[in-house]
Amino acid sequence: MTFIILAPPSTPTCALLRVGLGLGLCICYSAIFTKTNRISRIFNRGIKSIKRPSYTSPRSQIVICLGLVGVQFVGVVAWLLVERPATKEVYPYRLVAVLTCGISNISLILSLGYNMVLILLCTVYAFKTRKIPENFNEAKYIGFTMYSTCIVWLAFIPIYFGTNNDYKIQLASMCMCVSISASVSLGCLFTPKVYIVIFQPYKNVRQGSGPVKSVLSGFTEQKLRSEHALHLAVPDGAVGALHQPLAAGCAAPVYGEPAGERGLAHGHHPERGRDIHNLGTARGAALTGDALRGG
């Protein structure tokens, strides 16, 4: 787009400028918004339940992204029909004439306004997902990308609209803003991937059967580690006290077994009694830790 912005104004280049500037930014940030929204929904659903969130498949993501881009495309086509692309001469000074595209500031703001909304939404979701484990997503790199993009566009708006009489500064600021936004997005999102592919190929593997399973398995692993840490922190006397109900013959359900095959207490199930005994210890220690924290 920078070459089209710097090209001599004509009807075709003005039409391409209208279509390409807003649509190019929309394609980029619609994809980032779809990605951050998916990560946020998977993370929030993984905390509440193990049910797979809806519309997280690759096909659903493509449809959502195309829908967001379609809004911008319809707006651009309507803009071309209402205000036909053309050139005009402006006179910033008495003896100076400048040939430029006939685009009003209000039309340009409306065209870029939708992209600004997408940028803000991407930034919000990137901030919300900043604490997710880094081996399950790239929210940290997306967050840095969006923070940098916001800074660039916040600097662009006063520079572009505050220098109406200096077309050189306007063209230079627009080209720099577009180039920096694209370079930051490409660099932050793809440089870590290229680094892993070239220098750390052993990390370039798929974990689990899908993104939801990977994230949920990570939460499960963290939960088991916390329960194990609580088990180690409970004194032996407390653990022995926790085992007394099991030794008395109470039924102790075992995770992962069908409802009809409940494991019994230690000593009543010779084949799996040891596993049940250990499981009861871990569960009792976890409950004790929760009670201590609650107290």
Side-chain angles (χ1 to χ4, degrees):
M1 285 306 303
T2 56
F3 296 100
I4 297 177
I5 294 173
L6 296 175
S10 62
T11 301
T13 56
C14 290
L16 288 175
L17 177 61
R18 289 188 186 182
V19 176
L21 183 61
L23 198 62
L25 293 171
C26 183
I27 292 173
C28 175
Y29 296 114
S30 294
I32 296 178
F33 169 72
T34 305
K35 186 180 186 68
T36 52
N37 175 263
R38 173 174 174 265
I39 294 173
S40 177
R41 289 190 293 116
I42 291 175
F43 175 72
N44 293 330
R45 179 63 66 87
I47 294 178
K48 299 177 182 178
S49 67
I50 60 173
K51 184 180 179 181
R52 180 187 179 94
S54 57
Y55 306 110
T56 56
S57 64
R59 181 176 299 178
S60 301
Q61 299 298 293
I62 293 175
V63 171
I64 294 173
C65 186
L66 290 178
L68 295 173
V69 175
V71 175
Q72 177 71 21
F73 182 76
V74 171
V76 170
V77 172
W79 183 19
L80 292 176
L81 294 177
V82 173
E83 187 179 354
R84 296 299 179 90
T87 59
K88 66 177 182 179
E89 290 184 356
V90 295
Y91 300 90
Y93 306 104
R94 185 173 183 179
L95 300 177
V96 177
V98 179
L99 182 65
T100 183
C101 292
I103 302 176
S104 62
N105 290 336
I106 297 177
S107 300
L108 185 61
I109 291 175
L110 292 177
S111 176
L112 296 178
Y114 181 67
N115 294 297
M116 298 299 176
V117 173
L118 288 178
I119 290 174
L120 290 177
L121 290 176
C122 291
T123 306
V124 170
Y125 276 108
F127 181 80
K128 291 173 63 176
T129 58
R130 69 191 186 281
K131 294 183 179 181
I132 296 179
E134 61 180 3
N135 55 328
F136 296 123
N137 69 91
E138 49 188 353
K140 179 174 64 175
Y141 305 110
I142 295 176
F144 182 77
T145 300
M146 299 317 304
Y147 304 149
S148 304
T149 302
C150 289
I151 294 174
V152 170
W153 283 99
L154 287 176
F156 164 78
I157 293 175
I159 293 175
Y160 185 86
F161 295 102
T163 57
N164 291 326
N165 295 328
D166 198 335
Y167 68 96
K168 293 182 179 179
I169 295 180
Q170 287 183 331
L171 291 179
S173 61
M174 182 176 289
C175 290
M176 290 297 296
C177 183
V178 172
S179 299
I180 292 175
S181 299
S183 301
V184 168
S185 300
L186 289 175
C188 293
L189 295 179
F190 290 99
T191 300
K193 299 177 183 296
V194 175
Y195 177 81
I196 290 177
V197 170
I198 296 177
F199 298 103
Q200 297 179 343
Y202 59 90
K203 292 184 179 181
N204 189 21
V205 294
R206 180 182 295 274
Q207 296 181 356
S209 61
V212 177
K213 183 176 180 180
S214 298
V215 174
L216 296 181
S217 63
F219 296 147
T220 305
E221 182 181 355
Q222 291 181 354
K223 183 177 179 181
L224 291 176
R225 288 180 179 178
S226 63
E227 291 183 355
H228 181 64
L230 288 172
H231 171 59
L232 295 178
V234 176
D236 294 337
V239 175
L242 291 171
H243 290 171
Q244 292 179 0
L246 292 178
C250 299
V254 178
Y255 293 116
E257 290 192 351
E261 295 184 5
R262 302 281 180 136
L264 299 180
H266 177 60
H268 293 274
H269 201 305
E271 296 181 358
R272 290 181 290 177
R274 182 179 180 182
D275 297 335
I276 296 170
H277 179 78
N278 293 335
L279 179 60
T281 303
R283 293 176 58 197
L287 294 174
T288 303
D290 293 338
L292 292 176
R293 289 197 300 272

